[in-house]
């Protein structure tokens, strides 16, 4: 059995990213390969989970405070703990585990809260756990209860498992406060040991606010989040009152991992529908920060299970069980007593199996073990007891009961013995994150090769191809599958088993943890290796403005001077922007022009009163120089295509709720910002295909894909042509040029200015081909060199630094653009005051 070493895992991570990451990551991984040795460099992982994998008890040597402590391993979450623990075994990674310690046990074995412990006793806990690579988090009893027993178990857990939260338990406002507080405590605890370069790896639904909280304290930190539970569809998740806070909390991570693609897809959909963020199958643009999304099915500690199943104590229990159920076929099931475990469905199907296949009566026994679930469910317990009694009454006798039902914790030796001797494992959960019990069953079946019946609603179903998948709600189908499995030939059993065994052994918990961390490191390294657009250097920006005497300032409107709004008419100019523009326009050394996709009426209404301001509307179709009339640059162009485009847009508007049409004099725009995000994107693609086949191929027009909109306009119209017109036949007259924009239409302006700048520097240089963004690359390569001597060219894109743009600089939001303009206006005001 081959396991990839760290170098192989790193190489695999880079290959996976190069194939699956969205465009914001594309082109970066090749550069990351050149720094491949960085993936092999030593790094510390700080793993955070709700509970530490340890329990503490008072040492018998110190019956009174200050206590000394004994540390033992905590049961449960064995796969997660094994994966985290394996990181410390890797020579290139160290691991510190941060988590809540829970209650402690005194010398009599009785549990107590840590609230009353003295400072010295707590210090001794720190010292003892430090030997095990762990850091304890202390939470007062009331807050811990509200966080874990309250919000986590009563609200989040049911919701994530497709149970409406208000059906489980009424909301207590104090629970949400406790949930926030515990996440803040964890952020502080991790921060107390964090050093730059560490990777913080956060686990599961108890700590969903932690990525954002810790990221706020340490903005440059690399943060991974892994959700072990399912993630429900957006239609269900959006019922949660704190839906936005939870989503933004998760999006504070650098990368988020899920068990299956369907869970990742549901999360992406929730971010799109609830937060209005743009996403791809592998990433989300969170207000300029790209958050990577990955799928990493967890495995088990297969080696440990192999060793444990062969212990003498397990063999002895196997012998007892064989004697107890001699000549019987054994079906096993082990589940938590929760609605989602599907125990009721399992018993219903088993009863139908005995009814439909009477030859198996008195020959098959179902050993069903349950342990306490997330909360007490008396009605479910009563229903299960009723079903067990019914089956045993109808198909059992004094000598034999077809269902052996045990509602108790099973010790590990008994559990291993059951997995070893079973003739069939039946798992009918109706929603589960992964179900590692099925993987443990596979490891224990090396001798018998018994089949596995696995619910298609488990995360494991997509990975364990040799299992027989079942729908727990299809009782007849499950009954038939039980009969098929019990009659399966040894040859088929072996073939199916070998498929499952290879997967389980090659994708264990150690492989899972290594893959997640290497993917996270490769993602970060790929981002660092990119040619990111630098942030606008404000001091340099102001300095160049001061030293210049002839200035050209060209600005987009929507998304640049004002934020994007769902309703375009609400994108009104803020007072501070109007004041800055007015001041700049009052200086005769400045020429200021707003170049927008808006029509003339809108621009005239909101900006027409600014004396000295030039306006260009409809992406360069119209221009109005200061204190003059509008000029239609397309007055002689044939516009007969507009009727045909309008009819197509009307067709899709009628079939897309929330879509609207904006008819301008020289172009038509179809907006779908208020439509369902996913359906709107789908309809936009369909509409674009329709336009390309019916109009674009026959008429001199082009389709412009904007932010949540499609615009059809004449080919000769774009903002780049307006820039050329404004710069004039002698662009050398301008010693300071500013151009700011946020979307694809503004890239025409940036490319035109790059060509003009090049020609000013070298009049014999070849003209820019304008072949598209790929022909010019990003603007990062000329941002610094453009500022050594005048003329000074500042092309500024609004958005994240890794946005593909021909601009030389970037700012994060329209607010930053207005702030920069206000600084230039302040320079003009001061100069005027000095002159007076």
């Amino acid at each position: 059995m081959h396991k990839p070493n760290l170098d192989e895992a790193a190489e695999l991570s880079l290959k996976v990213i190069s194939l699956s990451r969205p465009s914001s990551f594309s082109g970066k991984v090749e550069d990351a390969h050149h720094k491949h040795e960085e993936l092999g460099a030593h790094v510390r992982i700080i793993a955070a989970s709700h509970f530490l994998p340890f329990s503490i008890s008072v040492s018998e040597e110190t019956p009174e405070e200050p206590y000394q402590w004994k540390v033992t391993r905590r049961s449960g979450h064995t796969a997660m703990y094994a994966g985290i623990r394996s990181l410390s075994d890797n020579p290139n990674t160290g691991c510190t585990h941060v988590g809540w310690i829970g209650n402690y046990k005194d010398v009599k074995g009785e549990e107590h809260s840590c609230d009353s412990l003295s400072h010295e006793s707590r210090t001794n806990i720190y010292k003892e756990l430090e030997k095990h690579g762990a850091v304890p988090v202390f939470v007062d009893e009331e807050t811990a209860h509200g966080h874990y027993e309250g919000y986590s178990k009563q609200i989040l857990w049911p919701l994530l498992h497709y149970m409406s939260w208000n059906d489980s338990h009424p909301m207590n406002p104090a629970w949400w406060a406790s949930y926030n507080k515990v996440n803040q405590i964890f952020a502080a605890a991790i921060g107390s040991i964090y050093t730059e370069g560490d990777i913080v790896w956060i686990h599961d639904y108890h700590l969903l606010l932690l990525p954002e909280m810790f990221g706020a304290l340490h903005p440059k930190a690399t943060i991974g989040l892994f959700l072990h539970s399912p993630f429900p569809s957006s239609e269900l998740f959006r019922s949660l009152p704190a839906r936005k806070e939870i989503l933004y909390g998760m999006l504070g991570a650098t990368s988020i991992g899920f068990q299956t693609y369907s869970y990742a897809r549901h999360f992406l959909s929730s971010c799109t529908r609830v937060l209005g963020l743009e996403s791809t199958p592998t990433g989300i643009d969170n207000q300029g920060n790209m958050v990577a999304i990955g799928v990493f099915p967890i495995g088990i500690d297969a080696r440990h299970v192999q060793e444990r199943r062969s212990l003498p104590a397990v063999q002895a229990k196997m012998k007892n069980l064989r004697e107890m159920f001699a000549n019987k076929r054994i079906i096993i099931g082990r589940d938590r007593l929760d609605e989602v475990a599907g125990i009721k469905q399992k018993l219903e199907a088993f009863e139908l199996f005995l009814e439909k296949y009477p030859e198996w009566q008195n020959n098959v026994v179902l050993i069903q073990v349950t342990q306490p679930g997330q909360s007490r469910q008396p009605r479910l317990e009563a229903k299960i007891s009723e079903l067990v009694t019914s089956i045993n009454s109808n198909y059992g006798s004094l000598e034999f009961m077809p269902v052996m039902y045990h509602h108790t914790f099973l010790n590990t030796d008994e559990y291993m013995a059951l997995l070893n001797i079973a003739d069939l494992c039946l798992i009918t959960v109706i929603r589960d994150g992964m179900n590692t019990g099925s993987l443990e069953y596979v490891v224990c079946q090396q001798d018998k090769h018994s089949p596995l019946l696995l619910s298609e609603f488990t995360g494991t179903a997509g990975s364990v191809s040799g299992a027989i998948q079942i729908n727990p709600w299809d009782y007849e189908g499950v009954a038939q599958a039980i009969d098929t499995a019990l009659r399966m030939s040894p040859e088929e059993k072996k073939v199916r088993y070998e498929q499952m065994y290879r997967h389980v052994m090659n994708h264990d918990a150690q492989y899972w943890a290594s893959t997640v961390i290497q993917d996270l490191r490769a993602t970060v390294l790929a981002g660092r290796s990119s040619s990111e657009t630098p942030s606008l250097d404000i001091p340099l920006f102001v300095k160049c403005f001061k030293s210049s005497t002839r200035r050209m300032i060209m600005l987009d409107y929507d998304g640049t001077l004002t934020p994007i709004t769902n309703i375009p008419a609400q994108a009104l100019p803020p007072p501070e922007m109007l004041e800055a523009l007015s001041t700049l326009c009052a200086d005769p050394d400045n020429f200021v022009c707003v170049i927008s996709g808006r029509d003339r009426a809108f621009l005239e209404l909101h900006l027409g009163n600014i004396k000295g301001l030039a306006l260009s509307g409809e992406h360069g179709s119209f221009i109005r120089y200061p204190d003059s009339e509008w000029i239609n640059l397309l007055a002689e162009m044939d516009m007969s295509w507009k009727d045909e485009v309008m009819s197509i847009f009307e067709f899709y508007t009628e079939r897309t709720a929330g879509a609207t049409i904006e008819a301008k004099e020289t172009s038509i725009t179809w907006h779908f910002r208020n439509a369902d995000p996913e359906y709107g994107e789908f309809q936009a693609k369909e509409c674009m295909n329709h336009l390309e086949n019916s109009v674009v191929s026959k008429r001199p027009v082009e389709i412009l894909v904007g932010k949540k909109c499609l615009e059809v306009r004449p080919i000769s119209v774009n903002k780049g042509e307006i820039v050329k017109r404004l710069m004039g036949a002698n662009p050398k007259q301008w010693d300071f040029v500013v151009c700011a924009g946020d979307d694809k239409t503004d890239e025409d302006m940036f490319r035109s200015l790059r060509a003009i700048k090049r020609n000013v520097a070298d009049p014999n240089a070849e003209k820019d081909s304008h072949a598209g963004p790929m022909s010019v690359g990003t603007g990062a390569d000329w941002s610094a060199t453009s500022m050594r001597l005048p003329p000074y060219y500042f092309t500024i894109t609004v958005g994240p630094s890794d946005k593909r743009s021909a601009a030389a600089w970037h700012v994060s939001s329209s607010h930053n653009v207005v702030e920069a303009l206000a600084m230039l206006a302040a320079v003009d005001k001061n100069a005027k005051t000095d002159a007076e």
Side-chain angles (χ1 to χ4, degrees), residues 598-648:
R598 295 283 190 160
D599 59 25
R600 291 186 290 177
F602 182 92
L603 294 175
E604 195 70 56
L605 175 64
H606 296 291
L607 301 175
N609 293 329
I610 300 178
K611 187 175 178 58
L613 178 65
L615 299 172
S616 176
E618 299 194 25
H619 298 296
S621 300
F622 298 90
I623 189 168
R624 193 206 73 172
Y625 290 100
D627 307 317
S628 63
E629 298 299 319
W630 284 94
I631 301 172
N632 184 352
L633 302 178
L634 302 177
E636 305 299 324
M637 182 167 287
D638 178 14
M639 293 290 174
S640 60
W641 53 267
K642 290 180 67 177
D643 290 338
E644 193 172 355
V645 171
M646 179 62 80
S647 66
I648 293 174

Side-chain angles (χ1 to χ4, degrees), residues 251-376:
L251 290 173
T254 309
S255 176
I256 306 175
F258 295 89
Q259 299 277 17
T260 71
Y261 174 70
S262 64
Y263 303 158
R265 179 168 51 83
H266 291 159
F267 175 74
L268 290 169
S269 179
S270 291
C271 291
T272 301
R273 293 172 182 272
V274 176
L275 303 181
L277 302 178
E278 294 187 7
S279 67
T280 72
T282 52
I284 296 174
D285 183 357
N286 179 26
Q287 301 171 343
N289 295 316
M290 183 58 75
V291 181
I293 304 297
V295 176
F296 308 97
I298 198 172
I300 60 170
D301 190 352
R303 294 190 189 91
H304 175 72
V305 174
Q306 274 190 323
E307 294 169 1
R308 192 65 187 256
R309 67 178 289 268
S310 303
L311 293 177
V314 175
Q315 298 298 318
K317 291 186 181 296
M318 288 170 57
K319 181 181 177 183
N320 293 337
L321 288 170
R322 288 194 186 102
E323 292 174 355
M324 186 182 304
F325 300 106
N327 302 318
K328 306 294 182 186
R329 305 293 289 276
I330 300 173
I331 303 174
I332 65 162
R334 186 199 189 199
D335 306 277
R336 287 186 178 274
L337 190 56
D338 289 311
E339 288 283 355
V340 297
I343 302 171
K344 183 174 75 72
Q345 287 78 6
K346 182 187 299 186
L347 293 172
E348 296 270 18
F350 184 68
E351 184 172 25
L352 183 61
F353 160 74
L354 294 176
E355 178 187 334
K356 286 195 64 177
Y357 303 96
E359 63 271 26
W360 290 112
Q361 295 176 17
N362 298 316
N363 292 311
V364 173
V365 58
L366 169 63
I367 303 176
Q368 176 62 46
V369 180
T370 62
Q371 56 192 61
Q374 293 293 317
S375 59
R376 282 292 310 277

Side-chain angles (χ1 to χ4, degrees), residues 502-522:
R502 281 195 300 270
H503 173 80
V504 173
M505 299 305 293
N506 287 328
H507 297 81
D508 59 8
Q510 292 79 3
Y511 175 86
W512 164 75
S514 175
T515 302
V516 172
I517 295 302
Q518 289 306 319
D519 181 86
L520 179 57
R521 296 181 73 183

Side-chain angles (χ1 to χ4, degrees), residues 53 80 90 103 130 134 147 225 237 240 295 318 369 424 437 442 526 552 580 610 642 723 783 808:
M80 178 183 72
N90 193 311
N103 294 331
E130 187 178 14
H147 167 263
L225 171 65
F237 184 80
L240 183 68
V295 176
M318 288 170 57
V369 180
L424 177 65
V442 170
M552 170 65 72
I610 300 178
K642 290 180 67 177
V723 165
S783 58

Side-chain angles (χ1 to χ4, degrees), residues 542-748:
V542 174
K543 178 183 176 182
C544 292
F545 180 82
K546 281 182 178 180
S547 63
S548 58
T549 57
R550 193 84 177 104
R551 305 152 181 154
M552 170 65 72
I553 302 174
M554 295 170 284
L555 307 165
D556 172 47
Y557 183 77
D558 289 288
T560 304
L561 293 177
T562 62
I564 296 290
T565 60
N566 287 336
I567 301 175
Q570 293 179 347
L572 304 178
E576 58 270 22
M577 182 265 279
L578 294 174
E579 181 182 351
L581 288 182
S582 298
T583 302
L584 291 170
C585 290
D587 185 347
D589 293 335
N590 302 334
F591 184 93
V592 185
C593 183
V594 174
I595 306 173
S596 173
R598 295 283 190 160
D599 59 25
R600 291 186 290 177
F602 182 92
L603 294 175
E604 195 70 56
L605 175 64
H606 296 291
L607 301 175
N609 293 329
I610 300 178
K611 187 175 178 58
L613 178 65
L615 299 172
S616 176
E618 299 194 25
H619 298 296
S621 300
F622 298 90
I623 189 168
R624 193 206 73 172
Y625 290 100
D627 307 317
S628 63
E629 298 299 319
W630 284 94
I631 301 172
N632 184 352
L633 302 178
L634 302 177
E636 305 299 324
M637 182 167 287
D638 178 14
M639 293 290 174
S640 60
W641 53 267
K642 290 180 67 177
D643 290 338
E644 193 172 355
V645 171
M646 179 62 80
S647 66
I648 293 174
F649 278 168
E650 287 175 347
F651 176 86
Y652 283 94
T653 301
E654 292 171 358
R655 289 158 178 78
T656 311
T660 58
I661 301 172
E662 182 183 6
K664 306 172 188 176
E665 293 183 62
T666 59
S667 64
I668 306 178
T669 305
W670 188 69
H671 296 277
F672 58 94
R673 181 171 295 280
N674 294 323
D676 177 271
E678 294 178 1
Y679 187 63
E681 292 285 354
F682 172 79
Q683 288 290 77
K685 291 176 183 177
E686 293 293 308
C687 182
M688 189 161 63
N689 290 336
H690 195 160
L691 289 168
E692 287 173 346
N693 293 329
S694 303
V695 181
V696 176
S697 60
K698 305 170 187 175
R699 302 291 192 120
V701 296
E702 64 180 350
I703 304 171
L704 185 70
V705 181
K707 291 184 176 178
K708 302 291 184 182
C709 67
L710 297 178
E711 180 165 324
V712 180
R713 67 183 186 185
I715 288 177
S716 59
V717 175
N718 66 66
K719 292 183 178 182
E721 295 301 317
I722 287 294
V723 165
K724 292 178 183 178
R725 178 182 285 263
L726 293 174
M727 292 293 287
N730 181 26
K732 289 184 179 180
Q733 64 180 304
W734 310 105
D735 57 355
F736 180 85
V737 178
V738 176
C739 183
D742 72 306
D743 66 12
K744 295 178 182 178
T745 64
D746 303 312
E747 294 298 319
D748 293 332

Side-chain angles (χ1 to χ4, degrees), residues 107 159 163 239 332 349 377 495 524 531 538-539 572 767 800:
V107 290
L159 179 72
M163 300 163 62
S239 67
I332 65 162
Q377 299 188 46
V495 169
V524 173
S531 298
I538 295 294
L572 304 178
K767 292 185 177 181

